[in-house]
Amino acid sequence: MLRVVLHHCMTNGGLIIFLVCYTCMGAAVFQRLEAPVEEEKAETLRLERLTHRNLFLQNVKDHNRVALTDEAEYQELTSTFLESYEQTLGVLVVETEENPLSSWNFYGSMFFATTVLTTIGYGNIAPVTVGGRVFCMVYAVFGIALLLLVLASIGTLLARGATLGYRRILKRIKKKRSKDETDVITFQRDPRAQEVMDEGWKNDDGDTHKIDIQGKNGESLGVGEKRDSSNVETEEPEAEPPEPEAQIPLTFVLVFAFLYICFLAMLLQAWEDQWDYFEAFYFSFITLTTIGFGDLVPHHQKNLLACTFFILLGMAIMSMCIALAQEMIIQKVAWLSKKIGVAFASHKQRKSGESS
């Protein structure tokens, strides 16, 4: 019973479920350790800035009391101007749904856990507590190995499925072409063929010329006689290595990876209002190649979970592309090595025959 359970756990589905649970567990722990500290710092900063903001408004009001006509209108205009100035500086006094004071909510924690497992490491958020940093190191040791195992397994599975599908399509195309050629080509036998073989060839004078085939020892084999293979000198053809099985061309692999990056960039452009398409494409490429500069990161909290899913899916697709390219290169090198080996052996055998 235990063996059956372990077998199912090691399948692709079991690995994916375990990875999801491991990521959620890490996100919960990071949120538990880091969120209270960040919220406390953010609240202190918010109150301090709010105090200075009110003091600024009071000073402006006192110095311009003579020029005031409508105090409520003045308060609204001044507050609007100051909020715009604070947003320009990247300092938000009031917490909003899209821009919370704490990055360690559920969405942010899941996104951070994913960047740890994928080794992207944008650096926009990081643990600051001792417990959070210790847990991050332990979590990364096991999580990175788990993610690599899952990506390798899924990439190999996708590559195998894509290769089998590609070969099946080629097989159907070749079968259809062969059938079409068979329907078009017709074979006709000349009724005089046997007569010509029996009587020989006649020239314009009416003379008959028999076809004389010389054997190995000079004897005439004649026409229609059974030919003994031991009497005829035949040169054995050189053994050619078998052609490698059809593989998906590298061009198709690169085009597919490029199209997925374009698709992810299109989604990110729709989610992030401040990004143009080139910035979204740049972020997608830097992310899927696990470079992760951190100069561009998603800001909308509700889209972080979907972004996490598409990043993991993209890395699985990249793993598939790498597996396909690796398999094609290995097969080509093996076929070339066999061909060079056969040619070398044939050349060596020919030289030994000439010397003897």
Side-chain angles (χ1 to χ4, degrees):
M1 181 64 180
L2 180 60
R3 182 178 299 178
V4 175
V5 174
L6 291 176
H7 174 73
H8 285 289
C9 289
M10 293 305 295
T11 58
N12 293 323
L15 288 174
I16 293 175
I17 294 174
F18 185 67
L19 177 63
V20 172
C21 295
Y22 188 81
T23 306
C24 293
M25 181 272 296
V29 174
F30 282 123
Q31 184 179 5
R32 179 73 175 178
L33 294 174
E34 298 295 328
V37 177
E38 187 187 41
E39 289 175 358
E40 182 180 355
K41 290 182 178 180
E43 182 65 17
T44 302
L45 180 62
R46 187 184 72 85
L47 293 176
E48 182 179 354
R49 293 187 183 278
L50 186 60
T51 301
H52 286 285
R53 180 177 184 272
N54 293 333
L55 181 60
F56 168 77
L57 292 176
Q58 185 64 37
N59 292 333
V60 172
K61 179 180 177 181
D62 293 340
H63 286 81
N64 297 278
R65 186 175 298 274
V66 178
L68 288 178
T69 57
D70 188 350
E71 185 173 352
E73 182 181 0
Y74 174 80
Q75 183 79 12
E76 182 180 358
L77 291 175
T78 309
S79 299
T80 302
F81 173 78
L82 186 58
E83 285 177 1
S84 176
Y85 176 72
E86 290 172 345
Q87 289 179 2
T88 304
L89 295 179
V91 179
L92 298 178
V93 176
V94 181
E95 181 178 11
T96 61
E97 184 178 358
E98 295 182 352
N99 298 286
L101 291 178
S102 176
S103 301
W104 293 103
N105 51 24
F106 175 75
Y107 304 106
S109 300
M110 281 288 292
F111 188 73
F112 174 76
T114 304
T115 60
V116 172
L117 298 181
T118 56
T119 68
I120 297 175
Y122 294 116
N124 58 321
I125 56 174
V128 295
T129 63
V130 176
R133 290 174 176 175
V134 171
F135 177 76
C136 183
M137 290 186 289
V138 177
Y139 181 76
V141 168
F142 296 98
I144 293 174
L146 175 62
L147 181 65
L148 290 177
L149 179 62
V150 172
L151 291 180
S153 178
I154 296 178
T156 303
L157 182 64
L158 293 177
R160 188 178 304 169
T163 302
L164 291 177
Y166 179 75
R167 290 175 181 174
R168 185 170 298 179
I169 293 174
L170 288 183
K171 187 176 180 181
R172 289 184 178 180
I173 294 176
K174 290 181 180 179
K175 186 176 181 181
K176 188 176 184 302
R177 287 180 179 176
S178 177
K179 183 179 179 181
D180 294 341
E181 291 176 358
T182 304
D183 294 338
V184 172
I185 299 176
T186 57
F187 296 91
Q188 296 180 354
R189 179 180 295 275
D190 190 346
R192 298 178 301 170
Q194 188 64 36
E195 181 181 354
V196 171
M197 290 294 295
D198 294 338
E199 298 181 1
W201 298 93
K202 293 183 179 180
N203 57 13
D204 296 337
D205 299 333
D207 298 331
T208 301
H209 299 276
K210 292 287 185 179
I211 302 174
D212 189 14
I213 302 177
Q214 297 294 328
K216 182 177 181 181
N217 299 324
E219 70 276 12
S220 177
L221 299 178
V223 178
E225 295 185 14
K226 185 177 180 179
R227 187 171 182 176
D228 189 1
S229 60
S230 62
N231 294 331
V232 181
E233 292 183 352
T234 58
E235 184 178 354
E236 296 182 358
E238 298 180 357
E240 290 288 338
E243 290 288 336
E245 295 184 359
Q247 296 290 337
I248 299 179
L250 184 60
T251 305
F252 288 2
V253 176
L254 296 177
V255 168
F256 184 76
F258 176 77
L259 291 178
Y260 183 81
I261 294 177
C262 293
F263 169 74
L264 182 58
M266 182 179 62
L267 291 179
L268 290 172
Q269 185 188 15
W271 292 341
E272 299 294 327
D273 301 333
Q274 299 178 354
W275 289 5
D276 56 20
Y277 186 79
F278 176 76
E279 289 176 333
F281 184 89
Y282 170 79
F283 171 81
S284 302
F285 178 83
I286 295 300
T287 297
L288 295 183
T289 53
T290 68
I291 298 175
F293 290 127
D295 51 344
L296 289 176
V297 290
H299 292 93
H300 290 274
Q301 294 287 316
K302 289 186 176 181
N303 297 328
L304 288 181
L305 197 59
C307 185
T308 299
F309 169 77
F310 283 106
I311 287 175
L312 292 177
L313 178 61
M315 295 191 69
I317 292 176
M318 291 299 170
S319 178
M320 178 198 71
C321 295
I322 293 173
L324 287 173
Q326 183 180 5
E327 184 178 356
M328 182 188 65
I329 293 174
I330 290 176
Q331 195 175 51
K332 288 290 186 181
V333 170
W335 175 78
L336 184 61
S337 300
K338 288 182 181 180
K339 189 170 183 179
I340 294 175
V342 169
F344 179 76
S346 176
H347 178 70
K348 186 176 181 181
Q349 184 179 4
R350 190 181 299 110
K351 289 191 68 175
S352 62
E354 292 176 356
S355 61
S356 61

